[in-house]
Amino acid sequence: SHTVDETRLGNYDGKFLKIFRKTRATLYDIIDDKSVGVIEEDKVRNIIKIAKPVGVIGALSPTTNPEATPVIKAIDAIKGRNSIVIAPHPRAKKTNKMIVDLMRDAIVKMGAPADLVLSIDEPSVEKTNELMRQCDRVLATGGSAMVTAAYSSGTPALGVGVGNCVV
């Protein structure tokens, strides 16, 4: 209910299903996948695929999906042994803080450092732009202006606009 109250978008049942189904599905889809080191070997062609962490991921999160997008991005980041800083839309900053705090508590319970997931608690265009300049990879989910800014940041970026999948 917090998300709907803050953003004035969506409905309570839909938001609950989104956080419950999408986040679990993401985790279950990748939980047994290799994500670092040798992830694939083709002995016939003598090809070995090796994956490595990219570092700090700057994640831009939209006001339309502030409950599930940060969780899904954090799952993907941590699975690849990366850390992540989530920059929410200003109209979703309270939801983002609550979600990030819950993730940080869960991460500590699993024996990992809480600072694998960080949040910009008082978001602004300036802070988000600085995050995109300083991080190692940008993941942008949101409107076309946000995605364009990510692609123009000078940092390698992946982005999707309105109505597309979570990146």
Side-chain angles (χ1 to χ4, degrees):
S1 73
H2 191 74
T3 302
V4 175
D5 294 339
E6 181 181 26
T7 65
R8 298 184 180 156
L9 297 170
N11 61 67
Y12 301 113
D13 293 336
K15 295 296 182 183
F16 175 79
L17 287 174
K18 197 180 286 186
I19 189 77
F20 185 76
R21 289 183 181 164
K22 282 189 172 185
T23 56
R24 286 179 190 268
T26 298
L27 180 61
Y28 293 148
D29 280 350
I30 68 170
I31 198 156
D32 293 322
D33 292 349
K34 289 180 122 186
S35 57
V36 178
V38 176
I39 61 169
E40 190 178 321
E41 195 168 352
D42 183 342
K43 294 186 187 230
V44 173
R45 296 171 47 199
N46 200 27
I47 296 173
I48 299 173
K49 289 185 183 177
I50 301 171
K52 66 177 188 170
V54 296
V56 177
I57 295 171
L60 284 57
S61 184
T63 190
T64 54
N65 194 19
E67 70 290 328
T69 299
V71 177
I72 292 167
K73 289 181 181 194
I75 288 170
D76 291 337
I78 293 170
K79 177 69 174 174
R81 296 187 188 166
N82 300 289
S83 62
I84 189 166
V85 179
I86 300 168
H89 186 282
R91 268 194 7 214
K93 68 182 183 181
K94 292 177 185 173
T95 299
N96 188 74
K97 171 122 176 70
M98 181 183 68
I99 292 289
V100 169
D101 287 348
L102 289 169
M103 286 190 288
R104 289 169 56 84
D105 290 344
I107 289 166
V108 169
K109 287 178 184 172
M110 298 303 297
D115 286 348
L116 286 174
V117 178
L118 297 168
S119 171
I120 296 177
D121 294 336
E122 292 297 328
S124 67
V125 171
E126 294 78 20
K127 289 178 185 177
T128 300
N129 286 339
E130 186 62 24
L131 172 64
M132 290 189 293
R133 281 191 291 277
Q134 295 292 328
C135 68
D136 299 300
R137 175 80 37 93
V138 177
L139 300 180
T141 303
S144 60
M146 179 195 296
V147 173
T148 299
Y151 288 148
S152 303
S153 69
T155 301
L158 298 169
V160 293
V162 176
N164 290 299
C165 63
V166 176
V167 173

